[in-house]
């Protein structure tokens, strides 16, 4: 019996897939089809898969050509499968010509001619009109956003707004955008969605203005410095059926999503304590160190450290206390925020003027999870137990600057895939705004 194997995402199943499977089956007697998981696709840069794995498998089965369907979830699996299933022929479409020549050491490799003018990417683009994004603010983070958006299909960054027109124009020239303006209303007229990357204290105002103009909003952290402002924004977005997402990029990256899943699976027993630290020594002349009202370690990096705390311990803490080391101008060089929960506790450490070990430790009744610096770009973490010999290691890809993951989820949600919202919910974002509010009100009243 001649055994054939082929692989693909088979998203939005189309005639090109059908023809490929038909001809693959005709190459032998028994056809195995490997369908990729969403996570594997993400790790190789395919960020916009629409159909679920179940649906994609079902579509392959319905053709009647596959004698067996398997799931492909890691690099190197093709070579394993070919040996494990004693495959005679490995085949894929001609768009891959040459890419799998290395498989010739195991079996025959056949590149089948690709069906012209059809692909999942073309269908995705037709089904979902391209989303035009305008960037508000043109500072450091905005310069990372535009190149990252290029990795996500279905979006185009077309414009930029900055009250300083010259900065907007420079930014627009650098990234070849269509429009540079100092007037947010002009930008809002030209887009379907905005990415807000302006100074922190302006986030709420711009987000509100964009939502009122019926535009989707991806807003850099912190979304708001007051709980009621964040609540108001989410209520406004819900009322107008718009997507509002706070851009804490860690929340959307595959490694962190896996870490949260494992922590919540019971692998370390009941979670009792979360300790998260993020410090970066900042230039004394920069906004982080000079902005007396909104600068400092906690407003700068607290969103990062609060994320795992709020996600794993919940939004319902009983006590919250801040201790800070202040600079001469009153901004916090280093802040510890200590939480007490009904069944546990948590500690956030953040700083712009004190350096510490940037790690995330999640402690449970059976073991703990350790994610070392830079845990916020989650690529690796360990699950450890009482027995030091027992250690589970988890690796995950984190591509580029990582902003592509939040952009991909933002786009998917605009396209109606609300099931992505679990990665960082409105309730969690509101809770973080509530913590920020407590911190700033303590600062104002001199309680720190
Ligand atoms: N394929 C084909 N003809 C097409 C499209 C795909 O023969 N017009 C083949 C691919 O070469 C591959 C298999 O179908 O062997 C599964 O491809 P997949 O990557 O899932 O489909 P694409 O439509 O190419 O997806 P995308 O646009 O996301 O890259």
């Amino acid at each position: 019996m001649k055994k054939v194997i082929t692989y693909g995402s088979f998203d939005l199943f189309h005639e090109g897939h059908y023809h490929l499977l038909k001809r693959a089956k005709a190459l032998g007697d028994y056809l195995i089809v490997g369908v990729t998981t969403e996570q594997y696709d993400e790790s190789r840069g395919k960020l916009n898969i629409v159909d679920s794995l179940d649906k994609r498998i079902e579509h392959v089965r319905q053709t009647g050509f596959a004698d067996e369907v398997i799931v492909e979830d890691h690099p190197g699996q093709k070579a394993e499968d070919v040996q494990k299933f004693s495959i005679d022929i490995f085949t894929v479409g001609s768009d891959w010509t040459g890419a799998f020549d290395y498989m010739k050491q195991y079996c025959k490799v056949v590149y089948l001619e690709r069906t012209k003018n059809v692909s999942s990417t073309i269908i995705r683009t037709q089904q979902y009109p391209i989303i035009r994004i305008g960037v508000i603010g043109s500072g450091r983070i905005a310069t990372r956003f535009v190149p990252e958006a290029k990795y996500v299909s279905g979006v185009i960054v077309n414009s930029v707004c900055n009250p300083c027109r010259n900065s907007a124009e420079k930014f627009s020239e650098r990234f070849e955008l269509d429009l540079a303006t100092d007037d947010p209303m002009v930008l809002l007229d030209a887009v379907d969605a905005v990415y807000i990357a302006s100074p922190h204290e302006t986030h709420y105002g711009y987000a509100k203005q964009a939502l009122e103009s019926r535009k989707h909003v991806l807003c850099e952290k912190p979304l708001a410095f007051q709980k009621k402002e964040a609540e108001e924004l989410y209520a406004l977005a819900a009322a107008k059926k718009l997507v509002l997402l706070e851009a804490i990029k860690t929340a959307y990256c595959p490694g962190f999503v896996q870490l949260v899943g494992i922590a919540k699976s019971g692998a370390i027993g009941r979670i009792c304590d979360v300790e998260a630290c993020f410090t970066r020594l900042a230039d004394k002349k920069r906004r982080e160190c000079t902005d007396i009202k909104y600068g400092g370690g906690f407003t700068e990096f607290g969103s990062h450290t609060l994320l795992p705390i709020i996600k794993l311990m919940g939004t319902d803490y009983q006590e919250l206390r801040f201790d800070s080391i202040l600079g001469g101008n009153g901004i916090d060089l280093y802040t510890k925020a200590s939480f007490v929960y009904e069944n546990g506790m948590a500690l956030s450490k953040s700083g712009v003027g004190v350096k510490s070990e940037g790690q995330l430790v999640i402690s449970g009744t059976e073991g703990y999870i350790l994610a070392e610096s830079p845990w916020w770009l989650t690529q690796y973490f360990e699950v450890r137990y009482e027995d030091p010999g027992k250690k589970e290691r988890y690796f995950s890809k984190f591509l580029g600057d990582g902003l592509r993951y939040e952009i991909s989820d933002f786009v998917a949600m605009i396209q109606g895939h609300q099931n992505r919202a679990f990665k960082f919910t409105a309730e969690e974002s509101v809770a973080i705004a509530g913590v920020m509010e407590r911190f700033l009100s303590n600062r104002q009243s001199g309680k720190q």
Side-chain angles (χ1 to χ4, degrees), residues 131-135 187 191-195 215-217 410 414:
I131 298 162
R132 298 162 305 161
I133 301 190
V135 179
L187 176 121
V191 301
D192 308 297
V194 291
Y195 169 62
K215 308 297 170 185
H216 303 283
V217 173
F410 183 55
I414 293 173

Side-chain angles (χ1 to χ4, degrees), residues 6-11 14-17 19-20 23 44 46 49 91-96 112-122 124:
T6 190
Y7 296 86
S9 314
F10 302 102
D11 191 28
H14 55 68
E15 55 169 310
H17 295 144
H19 291 313
L20 181 109
R23 285 171 296 154
R44 55 198 191 114
K46 273 199 173 190
I49 298 292
T91 186
V92 281
S94 52
D95 46 325
W96 294 103
L112 290 168
E113 198 182 330
R114 191 176 158 89
T115 309
K116 293 203 171 44
N117 303 325
V118 60
S119 75
S120 305
T121 307
I122 294 174
R124 273 194 291 268

Side-chain angles (χ1 to χ4, degrees), residues 22 46 52 56 107 185 292 332 401 412 430 444:
K22 189 175 177 184
K46 273 199 173 190
S52 67
R56 291 181 285 125
C107 65
M185 287 316 286
I292 292 171
D332 61 309
D401 277 320
V430 166
Q444 269 167 10

